[in-house]
Amino acid sequence: MSRGFAVDLGGTKIAAARIEDGRIVQRHQADTDGKAGLDAQIAAMADLLAQLGYAPGDRLGVVVAGRVDAEGRWQAVNAATLPGIGGVPLLDRLRDRFGGDITVGNDAAAAALAEARLGAGKGVEHFAYLTVSTGVGGGVVLGDRLLASRNGLAGHVGFVSSPLGDDRCGSGRRGTVESTASGRAIAAAAGTADARAAFAADTDRARTAIDRSAAAVARLCADLTSIFGLDRVAIGGGVGLAEGYLPRVRAHLAAEPPLFRVEVVPASLGHDSALLGALLTDTDLS
């Protein structure tokens, strides 16, 4: 079973955990400094790890928002998220700082693997995990193997096209799922400070923004099913797990032809799935 330490650095928060027997036994969290460069981000990781009793040489899995290639270089694909990160040698610098057994990868890919083996994907062969949060990401697990690529782009499903949007995404593409369904997109369309405020607002504009997001995610589920023959999709993230969101996704999916109506369930490992997946190192997370 997984044992060691894990770090999950996202666009809004950075979390670290001590894991024993595949369970999180201690956890600390802080806000992410989105403008910080690599050295400052690693320093923030070190601060949290020190609070957990980490010692250099201990097993460590680090997962981050963005693209991590096979050489462990880290690139923030969305220009609006982590603008200080641009093709930086994450794995090498972590080894310089901490030494020992270290692996790196994408946070959504790690969450997908954890959900497939420990959570909502148990018992099916073809599984996808989608996180709908500040952005939209995910991963695909086929026959217990995470779909991965040397350039680290595999699984960045938020950057595929959506017929429901036309805005430019932080990736540079126009009309993507992320530019239509993400928390940022919901807030912009609802005219609220953030997605949480949109869910709290009792206005037609907010309801329309949330429903458009759910429709885009439902279409994405059907598209991924047509490509990979999925048996189940789990949805997580702050937006994905918000009250009332999943029923909207299912309602839109019900309008698809039966062949594309994949089972959609809530992610069962909550917001710590990426931390658990960071130590499932027998599969390449990059």
Side-chain angles (χ1 to χ4, degrees):
M1 296 292 288
S2 298
R3 181 184 179 90
F5 295 82
V7 174
D8 173 19
L9 191 151
T12 57
K13 69 170 178 65
I14 173 173
R18 180 165 60 90
I19 297 173
E20 296 181 1
D21 298 324
R23 297 182 300 106
I24 292 175
V25 296
Q26 189 178 4
R27 183 186 187 282
H28 290 291
Q29 179 175 315
D31 293 337
T32 299
D33 180 355
K35 297 181 180 180
L38 178 59
D39 290 342
Q41 300 292 11
I42 291 178
M45 296 179 196
D47 287 344
L48 291 176
L49 287 169
Q51 297 176 50
L52 297 169
Y54 173 85
D58 287 340
R59 186 182 179 200
L60 175 63
V62 175
V63 294
V64 294
R67 181 169 60 88
V68 181
D69 66 20
E71 283 71 47
R73 296 187 66 84
W74 179 21
Q75 173 73 53
V77 182
N78 189 328
T81 303
L82 305 174
I85 302 299
V88 294
L90 175 63
L91 181 57
D92 288 345
R93 299 291 275 277
L94 287 170
R95 285 173 172 166
D96 290 343
R97 178 68 181 262
F98 301 115
D101 181 9
I102 299 175
T103 57
V104 296
N106 171 261
D107 54 356
L113 192 56
E115 287 287 350
R117 294 185 178 175
L118 307 173
K122 290 177 67 175
V124 299
E125 286 292 313
H126 293 182
F127 171 76
Y129 166 79
L130 303 179
T131 176
V132 188
S133 188
T134 305
V136 177
V140 177
V141 180
L142 305 175
D144 199 43
R145 296 288 298 177
L146 178 72
L147 182 66
S149 61
R150 288 194 60 81
N151 68 358
L153 190 59
H156 282 75
V157 295
F159 299 136
V160 305
S161 298
S162 171
L164 302 177
D166 190 48
D167 293 333
R168 189 171 298 280
C169 176
S171 68
R173 302 196 74 202
R174 183 176 292 280
T176 64
V177 173
E178 180 156 310
S179 70
T180 308
S182 68
R184 283 198 182 99
I186 290 173
T192 57
D194 53 31
R196 181 175 297 180
F199 276 90
D202 186 21
T203 66
D204 288 341
R205 184 177 177 184
R207 286 189 290 270
T208 298
I210 294 166
D211 195 64
R212 185 182 72 150
S213 169
V217 169
R219 181 68 70 96
L220 176 60
C221 290
D223 288 345
L224 292 175
T225 298
S226 73
I227 298 169
F228 298 112
L230 297 179
D231 302 308
R232 184 180 300 157
V233 176
I235 297 180
V239 173
L241 294 176
E243 184 177 358
Y245 186 81
L246 194 58
R248 289 174 180 260
V249 173
R250 289 172 173 152
H252 285 288
L253 195 56
E256 294 280 347
L259 184 61
F260 305 99
R261 296 176 196 166
V262 64
E263 179 187 14
V264 176
V265 301
S268 64
L269 300 179
H271 300 293
D272 289 330
S273 55
L275 288 168
L276 292 169
L279 289 183
L280 297 177
T281 54
D282 55 319
T283 298
D284 186 1
L285 294 177
S286 63

